[in-house]
Every structure is written in C-alpha cells, then in structure tokens.
Amino acid sequence: MSENHGGHFPPQQQWQQHQQWPQQQGWPQQPPKKKGLSTKVKVLLLVAALVVVGGGLGLLFVLKAAAGPEKQAKMLTEGDCVVLTGSGKEADAVKTPCDSPQTPYAVSLTGVDKGDWDCKEGFYKYSVPRPARGDGVALCLAINAKVGLCFDDIGSKTPPPLKDCGSARLRISEVFPKMSIVNSPCAEGTAEVISYASYGTSNFKSATICFVKP
C-alpha cells in the first residue's frame, strides 16, 4: 500500500530556484551620501578664521600705535599762524589764532621734507619729522606780524623763540601790510626791519615789521 504524502514535492533543484531572491543588481541603487564637515570641524574652522582676522586687525592697531598720532603740521596751509611744540622726533607745529599774544610764527610755504629743500632768504626753515611714514612736513615760517611780540635774534636761520619783553632784545612796534625794501615806512628810532612778500595765490600776506628795543 503506497503512502499518500498529499502530492509530489518539487525536485530539490527546482525548490532552490524558487527560493532565490532577486539579484542585487535588480534593485534600484541609492546614490552614495556625500560626507560633509562635522559640526565640530566647522566650529574649529570658524575659530581659526576669527583668529586670522583678529590677528590682522591687531597688527594694524600695533602699526598705527608705533607710528604715533598724526602730526598737526600736516594740516597747515599758507597763512596759518603756529606755535612750535616738542623737539626731535616729537616736534610739531600747531595752528593757533594769529592775534594770540603767544603765537610767534606765520606759515609762508608748506611742503614735504625729503631731505633737500630750503626757504627763501628772510624766512625760517622748520621740519616736522614723521619717522614711521618715511617723510616729514617742510615749513617756511615768518615772524607773525603782531605788535607787541618780542624776540632776540631775528636774523637766525631757524625760528627765533618768543621771548618775554622784559628781557628781550627786540619788540614789534609797527606793522604795515605791504613789502618795503627801499623806503621803510617804520618810524625813526626803529632798530630792525623785516619785510615779507606774499607768493601770489598764497594766503600768506605781504608785511613790513618794525622792531624797537624794549
């Protein structure tokens, strides 16, 4: 008597074929994900960039500090009246009111001091150095034409210092708004005379200055 197994099982080889999954190449392929920078790396790069920028700004501040403040002499123009401050590398010329009793000089010419320059006869040569910038401010100065100012040696090559009239050798007694060489308009008894000519379009004005002994 034969056994009934409920039907015939498929041969082993046929079963294995039915059990095979589709080949990998038959499935749709997912594009590989691009690996971006991690948050930690981004933060580190940001910090590095800030350090570089901050370092550059710091260098600018250091260079500016080394150069020091800009000299006021650079802003002067012809016709300005000035006092001189400091000495050596710290020398400067500061604009002040021409009618001030403590303002001894007037600017006749300004320029750049590159080592080879001079002023016309009768004017005082003065240079304001700017070492960190590689040049200086060149000034040609005249006596401020104001009655009452006192000096000693007005014939020097450099600006004569303002003196107290109690001990000075010369005092400005009269001022005339014109240049005079031959016929002086100064009163009798005048000890010294300086006459300045303007330079055309310059704001520096012509003047004849009379000095007497205090």
Side-chain angles (χ1 to χ4, degrees), residues 115-119 123-127 139-141 157-159:
D116 185 17
W117 65 282
D118 208 346
C119 299
F123 293 92
Y124 307 107
K125 179 178 178 180
Y126 191 75
S127 175
L139 298 174
C140 290
L141 302 177
K157 295 290 185 180
T158 56

Side-chain angles (χ1 to χ4, degrees), residues 87-163:
S87 61
K89 294 182 179 180
E90 303 301 322
D92 201 356
V94 181
K95 181 179 178 180
T96 51
C98 291
D99 59 357
S100 169
Q102 298 299 319
T103 304
Y105 314 111
V107 178
S108 63
L109 283 175
T110 65
V112 178
D113 179 10
K114 294 185 177 180
D116 185 17
W117 65 282
D118 208 346
C119 299
K120 289 187 176 181
E121 185 177 356
F123 293 92
Y124 307 107
K125 179 178 178 180
Y126 191 75
S127 175
V128 176
R130 300 188 302 167
R133 292 167 177 80
D135 60 24
V137 180
L139 298 174
C140 290
L141 302 177
I143 294 290
N144 180 18
K146 177 176 173 55
V147 173
L149 298 183
C150 294
F151 303 88
D152 276 340
D153 184 13
I154 60 174
S156 62
K157 295 290 185 180
T158 56
L162 190 65
K163 302 288 288 186

